[in-house]
Amino acid sequence: MSAPPQRWIGRPLKRDEDLRFLRGQARFVDDITLPGMAHLVVVRSPLAHARLQAVDADSIRRAPGVLAVVTGEHLAGLAALPFAAPEEARVAAAPHPILAREKVRYVGEPVAAVLAESRAAAIDAAERLRVEYEALPAVIDPHEALQGRVLLHEGLGDNILLRWSRSAGDVAGAFAGAVRVVRGKFHIPRLAAAPVETRGVVAEYDAAGDLLTLWASAQDPYRPRAQLSRVLRRAEERIRFVVPDVGGAFGSKGALAPEAAVAAWLALQYGRPVKWVEDRRENFAAAYQGRGLDAEVEVAVDAGGLIRALRAKLVADLGAYLYPPTPVPPISTAMLLTGPYAIGAAEVELLGVATNKVPTGPYRGAGRPEAAYIIERMVDLVAQEIRGDPIEVRRANLIPPDRFPYRSPLGFTYDSGQYARALDRACALLDYPRWRKEQRRAREGGRLLGVGVALYVERAGSGVWESAAVAVDPDGRVIVRTGSTAHGQGHGTMFAQIAADALGIDRSAIVVEQGDSAALPRGVGTFGSRSTTLGGSAVLLALEQIRTKATAIAAHLLEAAAGDIEWQDGRLAVRGSPARGMAFHEVAAAAHRPERLPAHLAEGLAASAEFSLPGPVFPFGAYAAVVEVERETGGVEVLRFVAVDDAGRIINPLLAEGQVIGATVQGLGQSLVEEVVYDGAGQLLTGTFADYGLLRAPRIPHVESAFLETPSPFNPLGAKGIGEAGAIGTPAAVASAVMDALLPLGIRHIDLPFTPEKLWRAVREVSAGQVADVAD
């Protein structure tokens, strides 16, 4: 049985999905209207820390249109949201409540919910609900929270929600014998995901079938269904979870929202469909945020400029509670701190601290951007200390190709890599020597021109397994159902390319279905750049079963041996006798006519499969930037930007480039303008788009993207994942370039984001003879 030649994998095809969106035919959660639907609005805490003394539901219970007023007391029988406890981590029991009881711990925490006949009526009533609070001191700085003067969860005894540490190699010996010890201190601010579509859900209960159905703006149906099952103490098979079109997520919709649990409970209680869709201010205040990390790092350097050991202490600002994925990003940061470098010894301590802020969770990159930024800043500082070229310092320390699979001292096994090749390609695309010459001329004229390069290695393939099912209709139409759920990535096009090649048929015969737990009851979902690697491999395994059975059917009908059947151009023919053949759609039709087939072939053409990885896969790359800092204003202009990514086998280069560019723009936003800010009382100061900076189109440079392919040995596609690469490599590269621009002024470090005011103040202070190592 010969495999058909690949005609579709590797082709830069446009997304099939886009036409629906361009025509306005997409269907988002807020487009869903069901008969008898009621509307839910949530009342949120205006205080960051307070005792909840009374909620006067009677004050609005008889307001026009009000159906119900729900408080935490009404939901006492529900469980709190579950949370992850990664291996070797000590995680405190501080789950996010569905509705607050006794205390509130961040501004925006859900306190009560109003169900009404219309959204307007629910809003009016919610604004009139009387809630009494006893204000308590708020703690906003995680370092202050570590002192324990204000406790968020008194029963825990301190404010530490997460503890993780790891040490490997002779760290003490390496530092004792070091020629230089280079130190760095870094603050990485919180970010808001700011998707175009906010969170929302519609819940409906069918009492006759005892089935609860939710349509939610989410990243997949499986994780939130499992979480809702825990909260409601209701079997998963009695919950159907559907993800319609989604207007962006970037990690922020990977967990069940407490408000969605309230909507589901109300649908069960009142037998009416319930809709909840948050507004933009609620999204800023209550959707979990990303990043938020402080790091103190030191590396031991030998006489040749090689980094022999790393020591780090990380303090993660986790916010008031733990969402299901809250512990994961900071642990990913800790485990990736040695990056792509052959650092033989490392010791890292991580503390996740409770503060009076909304909890954190995954945001595009989810711990990997922090790790890349920290280690790349350290390598730049090493280069400054030894007066070496930052490219050559990196090249000397990289893990060589012959050491893969490579076990890092912090516990990851990197599957494959050619890091120096990525670095060389980025330098070539940037024209690194030319820009260094231009920099010398610029500095002679007093201009602040900087050239920066950064490498990254990331963990992808989270969840380690995925499912898929394939069914072939009698007319030859192939229906692919996958546990990976798209929210803008183009999965439908990508999976269709894999299927068309596996079966040797035209892509137009492929239909991809996703996002409905009723269609595919078991799956994992889309996060952590896992969909091609895991979802694609599961689809491929199911398709291989279809090929095997279709071959057997064709062999039976053509009176030939299965080993003599060849696949080519949508036909299955006997080797050496091309006239003795059948089109694939004829085989499909025969598969649905059991009277023509022996019993073992007479069950149609359908298959399902699960694919598991032995461990994560590790995409990598090198990014490079040229920037100029304006002395008089502190403004940063990105003059040149290059992205080189190696994600193993690329199924669709056009879609991959779109992922890189989109993530790079988010990385540029983090580098230049984005930061969630709270005041000392815990009030969110960046709660609208007027206050929270997003990068505008005129400031986005041309991104020159290139791909290398070092296949992963861990999956049949050789794929690794590309969805988060730009958000990982960009901040490190921009920081390298900005700090290189400021190097002549003696400034060693400035924390992200590089806003004009921050850089202007730094330049002014240095010019006035003040300290040159400027932090946030």
Side-chain angles (χ1 to χ4, degrees):
M1 179 178 65
S2 61
Q6 287 191 345
R7 296 188 301 141
W8 299 106
I9 290 178
R11 290 177 60 180
L13 303 177
K14 294 181 179 179
R15 292 191 300 197
D16 297 327
E17 301 93 321
D18 288 349
L19 193 58
R20 291 176 48 251
F21 291 93
L22 294 172
R23 289 175 170 171
Q25 296 171 336
R27 186 171 185 249
F28 300 95
V29 166
D30 207 18
D31 295 323
I32 297 172
T33 300
L34 301 177
M37 189 164 68
H39 296 261
L40 177 68
V41 168
V42 173
V43 178
R44 301 184 182 278
S45 171
L47 301 177
H49 199 195
R51 298 199 186 281
L52 189 58
Q53 295 188 315
V55 179
D56 184 7
D58 291 336
S59 62
I60 62 167
R61 204 180 298 278
R62 295 180 179 81
V66 170
L67 300 170
V69 183
V70 180
T71 68
E73 298 301 323
H74 295 101
L75 305 182
L78 303 187
L81 286 173
F83 55 88
E87 187 177 356
E88 298 185 28
R90 288 178 290 166
V91 182
H96 197 299
I98 305 304
L99 290 176
R101 298 177 66 194
E102 298 180 1
K103 282 182 73 172
V104 292
R105 296 176 173 90
Y106 67 90
V107 170
E109 181 174 350
V111 171
V114 178
L115 185 69
E117 296 286 357
S118 68
R119 178 170 171 80
I123 291 173
D124 287 345
E127 290 177 346
R128 293 166 51 194
L129 181 67
R130 292 197 295 268
V131 183
E132 295 180 15
Y133 301 92
E134 177 191 349
L136 297 172
V139 58
I140 304 305
D141 185 296
H143 298 280
E144 181 183 343
L146 283 173
Q147 298 173 20
R149 288 192 292 267
V150 174
L151 293 180
L152 273 72
H153 304 272
E154 290 87 347
L156 299 179
D158 59 30
N159 289 319
I160 300 175
L161 302 184
L162 169 66
R163 290 176 171 90
W164 183 94
S165 63
R166 185 166 290 174
S167 179
D170 186 7
V171 176
F175 275 92
V179 173
R180 289 180 176 83
V181 174
V182 180
R183 296 178 174 85
K185 188 175 181 180
F186 311 103
H187 170 70
I188 299 171
R190 283 177 168 231
L191 302 178
V196 172
E197 180 196 23
T198 60
R199 299 176 301 166
V201 66
V202 171
E204 181 184 41
Y205 178 57
D206 174 14
D210 189 26
L211 182 65
L212 175 66
T213 299
L214 278 80
W215 293 264
S217 183
Q219 290 175 219
D220 61 84
Y222 304 106
R223 291 176 297 164
R225 182 183 64 164
Q227 293 156 13
L228 184 62
S229 172
R230 293 272 299 275
V231 170
L232 297 179
R233 296 183 170 92
R234 181 179 181 82
E236 286 190 37
E237 58 267 24
R238 301 265 54 86
I239 302 173
R240 179 188 178 193
F241 212 101
V242 182
V243 177
D245 292 314
V246 177
F250 312 118
S252 72
K253 297 176 181 176
L256 180 74
E259 298 89 343
V262 176
W265 183 84
L266 284 166
L268 288 168
Q269 296 296 312
Y270 287 87
R272 294 181 58 172
V274 176
K275 176 187 283 189
W276 166 74
V277 176
E278 68 182 354
D279 63 27
R280 181 59 60 182
R281 286 182 179 273
E282 290 180 292
N283 184 261
F284 270 115
Y288 59 70
Q289 298 166 356
R291 316 288 192 258
L293 184 80
D294 290 336
E296 295 184 16
V297 188
E298 56 183 0
V299 293
V301 183
D302 69 12
L306 297 180
I307 303 173
R308 297 301 186 185
L310 175 146
R311 264 195 308 235
K313 182 173 182 178
L314 308 179
V315 175
D317 178 359
L318 300 185
Y321 303 101
L322 297 176
Y323 267 104
T326 295
V328 176
I331 293 177
S332 293
T333 298
M335 293 186 68
L336 284 169
L337 272 184
T338 57
Y341 302 107
I343 301 173
E347 179 181 295
V348 178
E349 178 188 7
L350 165 65
L351 296 177
V353 184
T355 61
N356 290 116
K357 302 175 187 174
V358 67
T360 54
Y363 169 63
R364 200 169 194 170
R368 285 92 93 195
E370 298 95 307
Y373 172 78
I374 290 167
I375 187 60
E376 292 303 306
R377 288 296 302 123
M378 290 305 300
V379 175
D380 277 339
L381 293 175
V382 169
Q384 293 174 24
E385 286 281 340
I386 68 174
R387 299 184 183 278
D389 184 282
I391 299 298
E392 297 309 316
V393 173
R394 284 175 167 82
R395 186 175 284 114
N397 281 282
L398 289 174
I399 301 164
D402 60 4
R403 292 188 63 183
F404 289 91
Y406 173 84
R407 177 76 173 178
S408 82
L410 292 167
F412 277 139
T413 297
Y414 299 169
D415 53 344
S416 62
Q418 298 189 63
Y419 301 151
R421 185 171 74 147
L423 177 61
D424 292 343
R425 184 68 184 279
C427 290
L429 287 177
L430 186 73
D431 199 351
Y432 183 80
R434 182 181 76 82
W435 280 108
R436 283 298 186 196
K437 291 179 182 178
E438 176 63 26
Q439 182 185 56
R440 287 192 287 271
R441 288 193 293 268
R443 285 177 174 175
E444 290 171 359
R447 293 165 56 204
L448 300 176
L449 189 74
V451 182
V453 176
L455 290 104
Y456 76 89
V457 59
E458 66 152 316
R459 169 192 53 79
S462 302
V464 303
W465 72 272
E466 189 52 273
S467 65
V470 178
V472 183
D473 286 349
D475 60 358
R477 189 179 65 150
V478 179
I479 302 170
V480 175
R481 297 183 175 95
T482 171
S484 300
T485 304
H487 35 277
Q489 297 91 337
H491 288 173
T493 301
M494 180 268 292
F495 287 132
Q497 288 178 255
I498 293 173
D501 265 357
L503 299 178
I505 60 178
D506 192 81
R507 196 166 56 98
S508 62
I510 313 296
V511 176
V512 177
E513 297 180 354
Q514 54 193 314
D516 187 342
S517 65
L520 189 69
R522 178 173 158 84
V524 179
T526 296
F527 57 97
S529 296
R530 67 189 306 276
S531 295
T532 303
T533 304
L534 283 154
S537 294
V539 167
L540 186 60
L541 293 185
L543 289 164
E544 288 175 352
Q545 296 178 51
I546 297 292
R547 276 177 49 82
T548 298
K549 188 169 183 180
T551 299
I553 292 172
H556 172 78
L557 297 174
L558 297 172
E559 299 180 340
D564 290 333
I565 300 297
E566 294 184 324
W567 290 63
Q568 189 169 12
D569 296 328
R571 282 178 55 80
L572 288 78
V574 178
R575 182 181 293 108
S577 303
R580 292 177 60 199
M582 304 175 65
F584 178 76
H585 68 84
E586 294 175 311
V587 176
H592 290 270
R593 296 179 62 185
E595 70 276 7
R596 298 184 59 189
L597 300 172
H600 72 285
L601 298 177
E603 299 176 356
L605 269 180
S608 61
E610 289 185 3
F611 175 77
S612 298
L613 283 169
V617 293
F618 290 85
F620 61 92
Y623 282 44
V626 179
V627 306
E628 183 164 4
V629 178
E630 175 63 43
R631 282 179 179 268
E632 286 72 24
T633 66
V636 176
E637 181 180 2
V638 182
L639 304 177
R640 185 95 169 88
F641 197 89
V642 167
V644 175
D645 295 288
D646 192 320
R649 187 73 172 102
I650 300 293
I651 305 300
N652 185 318
L654 182 64
L655 299 190
E657 184 180 32
Q659 288 293 301
V660 169
I661 292 173
T664 295
V665 170
Q666 288 179 285
L668 287 167
Q670 176 180 350
S671 303
L672 301 176
V673 296
E674 291 190 47
E675 180 178 12
V676 170
V677 179
Y678 289 83
D679 68 12
Q683 294 294 327
L684 180 64
L685 302 181
T686 50
T688 71
F689 283 129
D691 307 303
Y692 184 81
L694 287 179
L695 207 61
R696 303 302 195 266
R699 295 193 65 186
I700 299 171
H702 171 71
V703 177
E704 184 167 351
S705 174
F707 296 108
L708 305 175
E709 290 191 356
T710 304
S712 171
F714 288 176
N715 66 90
L717 290 170
K720 292 191 176 188
I722 196 65
E724 299 169 274
I728 298 167
T730 299
V734 172
S736 180
V738 170
M739 299 318 303
D740 185 59
L742 300 177
L743 188 60
L745 302 179
I747 299 174
R748 294 181 72 251
H749 179 71
I750 297 176
D751 285 325
L752 300 173
F754 299 124
T755 60
E757 180 183 5
K758 187 185 295 184
L759 297 191
W760 173 78
R761 289 185 183 278
V763 171
R764 186 181 67 168
E765 290 170 3
V766 169
S767 300
Q770 299 182 27
V771 64
D773 192 356
V774 182
D776 192 15

